[in-house]
């Protein structure tokens, strides 16, 4: 199939992108003391030069002592870190790309004693680990308000230093997702209850970020059914449940939903071929990003018999042609080859450097 469709421009409100390819957020932990240096700026610039339309950065720590669990994960607060990011933004813009930071708090997915800030305890809606074990006290209302404010502050700073939008990390079992998930959210106040009530924390964050950045600054929400450590987890088991989950989030002012799945071609619910992004677009009417194993061969995609293709682009393009989704996030394929988009566009697919786990060791 002709890959041209991937290279058509995209516009959503004030966000205009040269093509449909998004770099998926990927933690690299190459920012000592939480500051993204020139090597990180060059890493992202190479992806913009390689033809990525929109870069979503690795998860960045909002201003809270237990936001992340590694000392070289970049912060999105403090003068040095913000200066580092301003430089990254400048480099990416100079190469003609667009870039938004992913705002992150890991919640209970941090162990006691983890760096940075070894004394800072993990926080979560009910103080439960992802396995459901009690670890700390449930978050107080004051802590919740503080985290909402920290997300909003990061959003305002992101806008001030020139980013093209923000993405809230509401996926994979981290703090926002711990509120979504019944296993980690057993609260009986307004932040707990049914699936709709469990969106309250995220809705407050979206509201606060919107107030901080104004109406014309894109807010993307990334969410997932799966959790780290539990690939089979489900927030929504039916399209109706997904509707109840997404409606308050959409109404709160999310501009684009980033629907995190591990394999883009898998139908989300029985009786339809639509994937999670497809359902999200149908339910909310908002633009959506799909993701999951784009450009990877069967070695990394489960190797099911019908999926022994070296190249799943045809299947991606068929779905894009039907407008099942608007944008396509690419993760590992862009780690191994920053010029992946350019090579796909020019038809030189044989020149693509295939992903191997060794590529994760460097920031090339
Ligand atoms: C090394 C690595 C780090 C990742 N870090 C993040 C992250 O910080 N935030 C996030 O939302 N997802 C993260 N992910 C998930 C990716 O964004 C993406 O959803 C996943 O890799 C599937 O896409 P792919 O098959 O194209 O690699 C990470 C994935 C990898 C491989």
């Amino acid at each position: 199939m002709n890959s041209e469709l991937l290279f058509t421009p995209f516009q959503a409100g004030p966000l205009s992108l040269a093509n449909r390819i998004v770099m998926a957020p990927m933690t690299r932990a190459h920012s000592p003391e939480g500051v993204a240096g020139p090597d990180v700026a060059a890493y992202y610039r190479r992806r913009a030069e390689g033809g990525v339309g929109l870069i979503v950065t690795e998860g960045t720590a909002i201003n809270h002592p237990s936001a992340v669990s590694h000392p070289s994960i970049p912060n999105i607060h403090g003068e040095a870190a913000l200066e580092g990011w301003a430089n990254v933004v400048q480099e990416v813009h100079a190469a003609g790309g667009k870039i938004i930071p992913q705002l992150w708090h890991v919640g209970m997915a941090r162990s006691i004693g983890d760096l940075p800030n070894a004394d800072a305890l993990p926080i979560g809606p009910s103080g439960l680990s992802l396995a459901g074990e009690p670890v700390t006290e449930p978050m107080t209302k004051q802590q919740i308000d503080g985290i909402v404010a920290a997300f909003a502050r990061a959003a305002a700073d992101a806008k001030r230093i020139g980013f093209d939008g923000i993405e809230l990390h509401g996926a994979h079992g981290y703090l926002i997702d711990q509120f979504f998930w019944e296993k980690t959210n057993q609260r009986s106040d307004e932040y707990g209850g049914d699936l709709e009530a469990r969106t309250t924390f995220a809705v407050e964050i979206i509201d606060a970020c919107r107030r901080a950045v104004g109406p014309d600054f894109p807010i993307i929400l990334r969410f997932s059914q799966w959790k780290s450590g539990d690939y089979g987890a489900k927030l929504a088991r039916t399209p109706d449940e997904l509707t109840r989950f997404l409606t308050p989030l959409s109404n709160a002012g999310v501009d684009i939903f980033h629907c995190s799945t591990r394999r883009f071609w898998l139908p989300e619910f029985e009786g339809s071929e639509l994937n999670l992004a497809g359902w999200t677009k149908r339910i909310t009417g908002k633009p959506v990003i799909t993701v999951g194993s784009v450009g990877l061969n069967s070695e990394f995609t489960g190797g099911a018999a019908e999926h022994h293709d070296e190249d799943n682009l045809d299947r991606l393009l068929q779905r894009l042609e039907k407008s099942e989704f608007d944008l396509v996030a690419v993760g590992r394929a862009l780690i191994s080859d920053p010029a992946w988009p350019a090579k796909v566009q020019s038809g030189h697919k044989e020149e693509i450097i295939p992903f191997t786990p060794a590529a994760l060791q460097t920031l090339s």
Side-chain angles (χ1 to χ4, degrees):
M1 249 185 112
N2 192 328
S3 64
E4 225 169 83
L5 259 185
L6 264 179
F7 298 93
T8 53
F10 171 79
Q11 181 94 32
L15 184 67
S16 68
L17 304 177
N19 63 45
R20 308 306 179 102
I21 299 173
V22 176
M23 180 176 182
M26 282 177 290
T27 292
R28 304 308 312 274
H30 277 270
S31 301
E33 318 254 310
V35 178
D39 55 341
V40 174
Y43 160 82
Y44 285 118
R45 181 177 178 139
R46 277 192 290 281
R47 273 71 194 171
E49 287 169 346
V52 172
L54 174 66
I55 292 167
V56 181
T57 72
E58 61 206 286
T60 64
I62 61 164
N63 189 10
H64 184 267
S66 62
V68 292
S69 56
H70 190 290
S72 296
I73 290 176
N75 293 329
I76 186 137
H77 62 88
E79 206 174 318
L82 292 173
E83 250 174 52
W85 280 123
N87 181 45
V88 174
V89 170
Q90 223 169 26
E91 292 286 333
V92 167
H93 285 170
K98 298 278 165 78
I99 182 165
I100 71 173
Q102 188 184 55
L103 311 187
W104 195 19
H105 193 301
V106 302
M108 300 303 296
R110 173 184 154 112
S111 301
I112 290 176
D114 276 355
L115 292 172
N117 311 317
D119 294 342
L121 291 176
I123 57 168
S126 301
L128 302 171
S129 71
L130 266 70
E133 304 289 337
V135 180
T136 50
E137 292 298 310
M139 283 171 79
T140 62
K141 172 71 174 137
Q142 198 180 9
Q143 282 176 314
I144 289 176
D145 291 345
I147 295 294
V148 170
F151 270 104
R153 182 60 205 264
D157 284 338
K159 184 177 180 188
R160 182 170 56 79
I161 64 177
F163 278 111
D164 299 293
I166 53 155
E167 175 168 289
L168 299 169
H169 194 343
H172 307 168
Y174 296 111
L175 182 62
I176 294 176
D177 197 19
Q178 286 158 26
F179 275 84
F180 290 151
W181 201 24
E182 61 186 343
K183 189 165 174 186
T184 41
N185 182 350
Q186 310 257 308
R187 296 179 75 96
S188 52
D189 62 4
E190 69 268 36
Y191 297 97
D194 63 13
L195 183 55
E196 192 175 343
R198 296 196 304 271
T199 66
T200 302
F201 178 62
V203 164
E204 288 187 359
I205 292 172
I206 297 160
D207 267 348
C209 288
R210 179 58 73 205
R211 282 197 301 278
V213 297
D216 292 328
F217 195 68
I219 296 180
I220 302 178
L221 176 70
R222 192 171 221 220
F223 75 99
S224 65
Q225 300 263 38
W226 66 271
K227 317 298 164 207
S228 35
D230 188 350
Y231 289 141
K234 295 262 180 228
L235 294 177
R237 295 186 180 278
T238 62
D240 266 3
E241 284 184 3
L242 189 62
T243 304
R244 270 181 268 139
F245 170 68
L246 290 172
T247 302
L249 300 167
S250 183
N251 289 345
V254 170
D255 295 299
I256 300 175
F257 284 95
H258 190 171
C259 312
S260 176
T261 52
R262 296 171 63 236
R263 294 174 190 133
F264 73 82
W265 56 87
L266 295 183
E268 190 55 44
F269 303 115
E270 268 177 33
S272 160
E273 282 298 305
L274 289 181
N275 72 11
L276 185 63
W279 276 107
T280 300
K281 184 170 176 167
R282 177 181 284 185
I283 289 167
T284 65
K286 300 261 173 97
V288 296
I289 308 173
T290 196
V291 65
S293 303
V294 174
L296 297 185
N297 65 36
S298 55
E299 190 185 343
F300 299 103
T301 58
E306 74 271 29
H307 297 142
H308 268 205
D309 49 353
E310 283 299 304
D311 171 355
N312 50 37
L313 273 189
D314 274 358
R315 277 188 283 158
L316 182 79
L317 291 164
Q318 282 158 16
R319 285 172 180 259
L320 186 61
E321 194 171 34
K322 289 188 207 147
S323 297
E324 181 173 344
F325 35 74
D326 303 279
L327 297 166
V328 174
V330 180
R332 286 164 290 175
L334 272 171
I335 297 253
S336 52
D337 196 340
W340 187 89
K343 290 175 185 174
V344 169
Q345 186 170 24
S346 64
H348 291 122
K349 284 204 267 180
E350 73 291 349
E351 290 176 12
I352 289 174
I353 304 163
F355 173 77
T356 60
L360 294 171
Q361 302 308 315
T362 65
L363 200 62
S364 54

